[in-house]
Amino acid sequence: VKDVNAGEILVVEGDRIINAFLVISGRLSMVKSTESGKELTVELLSPGHVSGLLMAFEEKPPTYSIRAQVDSRVLWVPINELRSALRS
């Protein structure tokens, strides 16, 4: 479990994903950078939302960043441990 502060970045667009996570409390925003350098909010992630699973299994970098909009708490799940558990 990790507490994140408002404004903290959890996922960086284009970087390799090493953790999936479940939002326990707070609110995160999924944002995409435009060609002009602006950020477009794609989705708001509220408690109960899981992120990072699909891209982690496809082994593709994310096409978005995720930032805490408010102080939040997330449950981190390392992707390599998740893959191992599912293969067992």
Side-chain angles (χ1 to χ4, degrees), residues 21-30 43-51 69-70 72-74:
F21 61 88
L22 166 70
V23 180
I24 297 171
S25 65
R27 186 175 60 247
L28 312 177
S29 59
M30 183 183 295
E43 188 175 351
L44 296 176
L45 312 178
S46 55
H49 188 97
V50 176
S51 185
Q69 278 197 325
V70 298
S72 303
R73 179 172 275 187
V74 297

Side-chain angles (χ1 to χ4, degrees), residues 1-4 9-11 18-22 74-78:
V1 174
K2 179 179 179 178
D3 292 316
V4 293
I9 297 172
L10 287 82
V11 173
I18 58 172
N19 295 300
F21 61 88
L22 166 70
V74 297
L75 173 65
W76 286 106
V77 181

